[in-house]
Amino acid sequence: MASFDDDKWELYHHDTDFSECNDLAEERPEQLQKMVSRFWVEAGKYDVLPLDDNGFAYRAKIPRPGSPRRRATFTYYPGMAHLPIAAVPPVMNRAHRITAYVDRAATSDEGVLVSLGNISSGYVLYVKDNRLVYEYNFLGTRYTVTSAEELPVGPAELTFAFDRTGDMRGVGHLYVSGRSVGSADIPRVLPHFLGWQGLDIGRDTLSPSSPSYDGEFAFTGKFEKVVFTVAPDEAGTTPFERID
């Protein structure tokens, strides 16, 4: 992306040129300068400055001052509304952990615990066929971690942890109540942005994040909460004490 410093100012008269086909910048330089000066005044007034030409994807993962996304811990409860992408935990290219606190009355209790994304990109943590599964969708290439054993009935803490082993790569681990039940390499993760579709807890309300289930695939067991713990930045590889 070119720097804003190299941009060329243009001038259009919308009353007669609503489609902006006739650039008047050279014909009316005084009016152009007047409008440019007005832009800087309004930009300062409404906290637009400093201008950032890094591009949306890069800026999207950097929380603004006062944003709740600056926290390291995020707790969500069942029944919450769909969360827009601008408010989700910033796990992109960061070490992080997702723990769902559940209580399953039978081995048939299953469904989505956390879902973010769609067919293009994102991630989902779910229970199916009595196993814990995490899928990461890297632009259509899916990396999956599945528990090596079936899940116990009753209260449990179902955890996915991403250990960052380098830039845009790492290892995914699954734990059941603190006990390791599976791991797999995730050789590629997206650096900045996980698409426009936001976060769901306990179900997948929009376009399914995984082809492994149909519809919302709502979790059928009891669901207390989901807790995200996120490293403060990409340099942080262990934002919490290791489970193992």
Side-chain angles (χ1 to χ4, degrees), residues 8-20:
K8 177 185 176 182
W9 290 95
E10 298 177 351
L11 179 67
Y12 300 96
H13 194 313
H14 281 180
D15 288 348
T16 59
D17 182 22
F18 69 91
S19 58
E20 298 185 353

Side-chain angles (χ1 to χ4, degrees), residues 91-96 134 136 138 143 160-173 184-192 234-237:
V91 302
M92 296 78 71
N93 202 21
R94 296 188 187 184
H96 62 276
Y134 174 87
Y136 187 91
F138 181 89
Y143 303 107
F160 168 77
F162 178 75
D163 286 345
R164 190 170 178 268
T165 58
D167 189 30
M168 294 181 286
R169 65 180 184 271
V171 178
H173 303 273
D185 288 336
I186 302 180
R188 295 184 296 176
V189 298
L190 293 168
H192 306 314
E234 292 183 10
T237 57

Side-chain angles (χ1 to χ4, degrees), residues 13 18 25 29-30 39 42 50 96 133 136 161 172 183 190 223 230 242:
H13 194 313
F18 69 91
E30 293 183 358
F39 169 84
E42 296 297 314
H96 62 276
V133 183
Y136 187 91
S183 65
L190 293 168
F223 201 152
V230 183
R242 290 184 59 90

